[in-house]
Amino acid sequence: MNRSPVWHPFTQHALEPPMTRIVSTEGAYLIDEDGNRILDLISSWWVVTHGHRHPRIVEAIREAAQSLDQVIFAEFSHMPAERLAAELIEIAPPGLRHVFYSDSGSTSVEVALKMALGSFHNTGQARDRIVVMEHGYHGDTIGTMAAGERGVFNAAYAPLLFEVDRLPFPQAGRQQRTLDMFEAVCRTGRVAALLIEPLVLGAGGMKIYAAEVLAGLAEIARRYGCLFIADEVMTGWGRTGTLFACEQAGIRPDILCTSKGLTGGALPLAATLCNEAVFEAHFSADRRKTFFHSSSYTANPIACAAAIANLEIWRSEAVEERISRLAGLHRRHLARFEGDGRFTGVRQIGTIAALDLAVPEGGYLADAGPRMRRLFRERGLLVRPLGNVIYLMPPYCVTEGEIDRAYDAIDEVASLVLGKPR
Ligand SMILES: *Cc1c(COP(=O)(O)O)cnc(C)c1O
């Protein structure tokens, strides 16, 4: 019986055993109170990039805590926030000039939506529609749920969620339909922004689409004067093979959201970057045009120091090589499942690999999901399928041997769940 007062996220406590208590983390592993080492193949919900407790990040946190804790971020600033903002602008897609800090991916998206709506409000333009992509995910606050896919997760809150326009997912061969639909919505003249996860829809089932579609959408947005918001909360920091996914489409988003890997996964921090026009629309002697948003822990100096250390790791270590090595390992292992009747949709982008278990009922509540999760855990692996979608998103320090283990387990677990011999 789980007598803990703690209520866990996305957890049905009536069906789950008590939570495993973790006492330490190290590289690609979580270590529980019995000393078991659990291989973290989903980077602790997509936040850990280099590995748990990278020494450089741990040291930066220790050092920052010697001199700073939270500092009110109106009227005051501090070096960690200033330096991080300057460095982010250096490496982000071109055109982004201002950095607004918050503390989670969801808030970074809320900030982006408010920036977009505020821009048009402040310049006297009647644009209030938000366009998103089917199967998108942008967070769990009321605002970000409104922009995300509707379903079992948000059915209870549906009456409070605002309307958005949804573009069909651009499946191979049906991409033009997505572009045409976007252009049709843009013609109303009411669109404030397109909010989109570039190249891969994460929580929606690791759905990957072509960079050309992303480029096409950005071009339409520009032509019709609506803002392009790239939600790079999951895709940033090398996940798709490049630092930001937008780079692969050669686009310049007006607003970009980053969080998860920003501190290498050590501390909560988020940033919403925007271009000059968005900032200018709020820059005025009229106080009503102020950007009215703050989180208590905005620009936490210790989190900013961790993020600076993360950027330092990107500059000084062979991060790109680790990413391309991991991408190569995925490619090689996924090849063995191509044409295997147990799976459909074998796919990969950068460090993310995914495949769907061929079960009669898919979807997020498919029984196969929790069953697979338990079977992976019995093998010492942390893998949490999204319904019948099995995916791996390991930290970049993962070794070849560990990836071998992961794919052998997928092979085994799939057969167990499908009840068929291999
Ligand atoms: C995880 C995620 C978010 C929400 O981030 P939180 O830190 O969990 O609030 C938003 N957008 C995308 C694409 C994400 O994957």
Side-chain angles (χ1 to χ4, degrees), residues 70-251:
Q70 183 64 36
V71 174
I72 179 172
F73 207 58
E75 261 183 86
F76 299 95
S77 193
H78 46 74
M79 268 321 284
E82 295 293 336
R83 193 171 145 199
L84 177 59
E87 291 187 9
L88 283 175
I89 282 166
E90 285 282 305
I91 58 167
L96 299 168
R97 297 265 186 281
H98 299 270
V99 177
F100 192 95
Y101 290 110
S102 60
D103 46 22
S104 75
S106 302
T107 53
S108 75
V109 174
E110 296 274 356
V111 164
L113 293 172
K114 285 174 70 173
M115 280 179 174
L117 293 167
S119 292
F120 293 112
H121 176 83
N122 288 354
T123 53
Q125 298 174 70
R127 283 176 178 261
D128 54 7
R129 299 291 305 181
I130 303 295
V131 181
V132 300
M133 190 176 275
E134 172 192 22
H135 305 301
Y137 175 82
H138 301 285
D140 285 329
T141 57
I142 295 284
T144 57
M145 279 193 300
E149 181 77 0
R150 302 293 169 87
V152 65
F153 311 104
N154 43 44
Y157 328 110
L160 288 176
L161 305 182
F162 56 81
E163 281 302 312
V164 295
D165 293 293
R166 293 171 198 279
L167 305 179
F169 180 77
Q171 275 162 331
R174 309 205 58 185
Q175 294 149 329
Q176 192 56 42
R177 190 173 61 127
T178 304
L179 297 172
D180 292 346
M181 191 86 84
F182 183 42
E183 185 152 8
V185 182
C186 282
R187 280 202 203 95
T188 62
R190 294 290 302 274
V191 177
L194 172 69
L195 167 64
I196 195 164
E197 295 166 87
L199 302 187
V200 50
L201 311 189
M206 300 300 156
K207 293 186 176 347
I208 300 166
Y209 63 93
E212 295 74 48
V213 178
L214 191 63
L217 291 169
E219 190 275 321
I220 294 166
R222 195 146 312 272
R223 197 144 38 85
Y224 287 89
C226 70
L227 297 171
F228 187 99
I229 305 172
D231 177 355
E232 292 246 20
V233 170
M234 187 278 274
T235 52
W237 307 103
R239 278 295 165 205
T240 68
T242 47
L243 183 59
F244 290 106
C246 284
E247 293 168 26
Q248 294 179 46
I251 57 171

Side-chain angles (χ1 to χ4, degrees), residues 360-416:
E361 315 131 66
Y364 185 81
L365 293 185
D367 282 340
R371 257 197 86 194
M372 286 193 281
R373 173 154 60 86
R374 276 193 295 276
L375 290 164
F376 283 116
R377 276 295 298 280
E378 286 168 14
R379 286 158 180 75
L381 307 174
L382 171 53
V383 178
R384 290 178 61 97
L386 297 156
N388 66 322
V389 179
I390 305 168
Y391 73 92
L392 300 176
M393 197 191 291
Y396 310 152
C397 65
V398 74
T399 65
E400 182 167 356
E402 288 158 351
I403 291 291
D404 291 347
R405 264 182 77 196
Y407 280 93
D408 287 346
I410 290 176
D411 203 335
E412 224 184 332
V413 165
S415 288
L416 285 171

